[in-house]
Amino acid sequence: DQQVKQNSPSLSVQEGRISILNCDYTNSMFDYFLWYKKYPAEGPTFLISISSIKDKNEDGRFTVFLNKSAKHLSLHIVPSQPGDSAVYFCAASAIAGGTSYGKLTFGQGTILTVHP
Amino acid sequence: GAGVSQSPSNKVTEKGKDVELRCDPISGHTALYWYRQRLGQGLEFLIYFQGNSAPDKSGLPSDRFSAERTGESVSTLTIQRTQQEDSAVYLCASSLQPTSYEQYFGPGTRLTVT
């Protein structure tokens, strides 16, 4: 039962262009969503998050959009840089209506490659 | 400051042997999580510790898996009688508060069962 899905295993974009990574979820109890970035041989690092009361959150080149009715979120990276090449994981949590702590459910990840 | 550390970084073991993986969380972080990432898959929650409260073990895949944590410091994940399907990267994360969504991950332990 995959509650968080990233249907694109990989994405390749040109430097300077926009990267759009997508994530779908099925559990309507999820109320907080995060994106993590992972380089090889390192643990994931937090990138950006969004609460279910918002539909957009922006931090520099990174913007996360949330469409609750579609149970879909996306991460936009503009402009993309070669250093952005990594695996990106979408994660969700359900503190308000679910567990009492920040238990995260992760997607499978999308490998982003940004070509110079 | 120091991040989350894990040891060993790599472990190769024979099927049927027991292994012990260690995690040192960030000092002052009260919540600690263990995850597993199998090849080509996302992170799979295993267990959660918070202070002296009973841990949430709901993600442990079988009774061969167990974990302990000493107060708010070091945690060990033990896998008994390892099987080939246990091969994965085991990741530890900690957070400042139990309700904090932002978890800080260690580099992981890559376990290979031959």
Side-chain angles (χ1 to χ4, degrees), chain B residues 28-104:
Chain B
H29 280 197
T30 62
L32 186 146
Y33 306 78
W34 281 98
Y35 294 88
R36 174 172 73 175
Q37 185 184 15
R38 291 171 162 166
L39 190 63
Q41 298 187 20
L43 280 70
E44 174 187 5
F45 168 79
L46 296 177
I47 190 169
Y48 159 77
F49 291 96
Q50 166 57 29
N52 293 319
S53 301
D56 179 350
K57 304 179 181 180
S58 61
L60 294 179
S62 78
D63 58 8
R64 296 187 295 105
F65 287 71
S66 63
E68 293 183 353
R69 186 181 185 193
T70 306
E72 292 185 352
S73 60
V74 172
S75 176
T76 55
L77 177 69
T78 302
I79 309 173
Q80 296 178 310
R81 305 180 302 283
T82 52
Q83 303 294 313
Q84 289 187 329
E85 61 262 29
D86 299 335
S87 295
V89 176
Y90 289 81
L91 291 154
C92 174
S94 68
S95 64
L96 188 58
Q97 301 170 21
T99 54
S100 173
Y101 295 99
E102 296 178 25
Q103 298 175 18
Y104 296 83

Side-chain angles (χ1 to χ4, degrees), chain A residues 31-32 34 36 38 41-44 46 89 93 95 100-104 106-108, chain B residues 33 35 37 40-43 45 48 56 58 91 98-103 105-107:
Chain A
D31 54 12
Y32 203 82
L34 306 88
Y36 279 81
K38 185 181 184 301
E42 295 183 12
F46 170 75
F89 290 98
S93 189
I95 283 189
S100 60
Y101 64 91
K103 178 179 177 179
L104 297 177
F106 285 84
Q108 310 95 305
Chain B
Y33 306 78
Y35 294 88
Q37 185 184 15
Q41 298 187 20
L43 280 70
F45 168 79
Y48 159 77
D56 179 350
S58 61
L91 291 154
T99 54
S100 173
Y101 295 99
E102 296 178 25
Q103 298 175 18
F105 284 82

Side-chain angles (χ1 to χ4, degrees), chain A residues 12-17 80-85 113-116:
Chain A
S12 181
V13 299
Q14 204 69 32
E15 181 178 7
R17 306 293 290 268
S80 301
Q81 299 173 355
D84 295 330
S85 297
T113 304
V114 181
H115 299 283

